Amino acid sequence: MTQQERITLITGANKGIGLEVARQLGKAGHRVLLGARDAGRAQAAADRLRGEGVDARIVAIDLDNPASIAAAVADVERHEGRLDVLVNNAAIVDPADGPAGTADLAAVRRIFDTNFFGSIAVTQAFLPLLRKSDAGRIINVSSGLGSIALNADPKWEYAAVKLLGYNGSKAALNLFTVILAAELEGEGIRVHAVNPGYTATDLNGNSGHQTVAEGAQEIIRLARLDGGPTGTFTNKDGTDPW
């Protein structure tokens, strides 16, 4: 399948890394579907991309709303008929998140509902359309904070960042990646977890040291890849430990 034939849905695509992934894949020839729950921001993003020559359209989707996910699947089935690449990018943080002994349990649940359960719900709902592709691929946008091995290393540069909800949700997303990759390997659908790196986005108050272009780099590489392995956890510089 050529790049020009690929149809890619990106959740949380109205800003940050999601928007940059949409921009670069669109310029590579993908038809990009901007998954977003905020109609105003989504429209502004779509207008901006179209102004740059990108084939983009909005798909309204709220990861916390099953009816919204079902409507998004029906939308893509009606207009495109299949899906080649799903990028599970949408995620949240919560100021009440924190260390295991003090994190607000409601905040941890909210984070898991979007980052973990929401991504599972979207993936399961779109699997029938991914199965219609000759090059199906699922990319789960994770984090180095989701690596149990790195969290256990006191010398890791981000060892002090111990957020039960956020780190836990990304660790769970990594396990989902491994289990799903094994399940779908026989069908030729590849599944990946990606650590974008510490990127300046609204999620971290733009404190990250990377640009969104740098943060999007590995996601874009995988989305454009022909063939390759499955069940991977990578960043733009190589492989991350689970």
Side-chain angles (χ1 to χ4, degrees):
M1 178 176 290
T2 67
Q3 299 298 319
Q4 286 71 25
E5 294 172 334
R6 291 187 186 177
I7 300 163
T8 299
L9 170 65
I10 305 144
T11 63
N14 60 281
K15 61 180 180 177
I17 290 174
L19 179 58
E20 184 63 21
V21 169
R23 173 184 291 108
Q24 293 196 38
L25 288 180
K27 289 186 175 181
H30 289 218
R31 174 168 176 74
V32 292
L33 308 180
L34 307 179
R37 63 181 179 180
D38 187 308
R41 288 182 175 178
Q43 189 61 58
D47 290 345
R48 184 174 170 185
L49 291 178
R50 289 170 190 150
E52 297 178 26
V54 171
D55 181 8
R57 79 175 186 87
I58 300 166
V59 173
I61 186 167
D62 182 347
L63 273 62
D64 296 327
N65 185 332
S68 169
I69 295 171
V73 172
D75 180 1
V76 175
E77 184 169 25
R78 183 171 61 253
H79 287 93
E80 283 79 27
R82 74 169 196 277
L83 185 64
D84 301 307
V85 182
L86 170 63
V87 180
N88 285 312
N89 170 70
I92 65 167
V93 294
D94 193 300
D97 193 10
T102 57
D104 180 79
L105 190 55
V108 173
R109 286 197 177 105
R110 281 192 294 271
I111 294 167
F112 264 78
D113 279 343
T114 298
N115 300 5
F116 180 56
F117 293 113
S119 293
I120 293 175
V122 169
T123 301
Q124 290 180 343
F126 275 99
L127 268 178
L129 292 181
L130 284 159
R131 288 187 168 111
K132 293 182 179 181
S133 171
D134 293 331
R137 196 175 298 271
I138 299 163
I139 302 170
N140 296 319
V141 181
S142 183
S143 168
L145 295 174
S147 166
I148 294 176
L150 292 176
N151 271 282
D153 181 0
K155 296 181 180 178
W156 183 43
E157 62 180 320
Y158 301 114
V161 185
K162 292 289 194 289
L163 301 171
L164 181 62
Y166 187 80
N167 297 25
S169 71
K170 294 301 186 179
L173 188 66
N174 284 355
L175 182 59
F176 173 60
T177 300
V178 171
I179 292 173
L180 186 65
E183 178 184 347
L184 299 179
E185 187 170 14
E187 300 182 47
I189 299 176
R190 292 167 172 83
V191 189
H192 312 277
V194 170
N195 170 17
Y198 192 28
T199 304
T201 66
D202 287 352
L203 201 70
N204 55 43
N206 292 297
S207 61
H209 57 77
Q210 290 188 156
T211 66
V212 288
E214 291 172 315
Q217 188 174 320
E218 178 64 3
I219 302 167
I220 292 160
R221 183 189 73 83
L222 290 169
R224 299 187 64 189
L225 192 64
D226 293 318
T230 188
T232 60
F233 184 25
T234 55
N235 60 68
K236 66 182 178 60
D237 299 315
T239 301
D240 272 321
W242 295 105

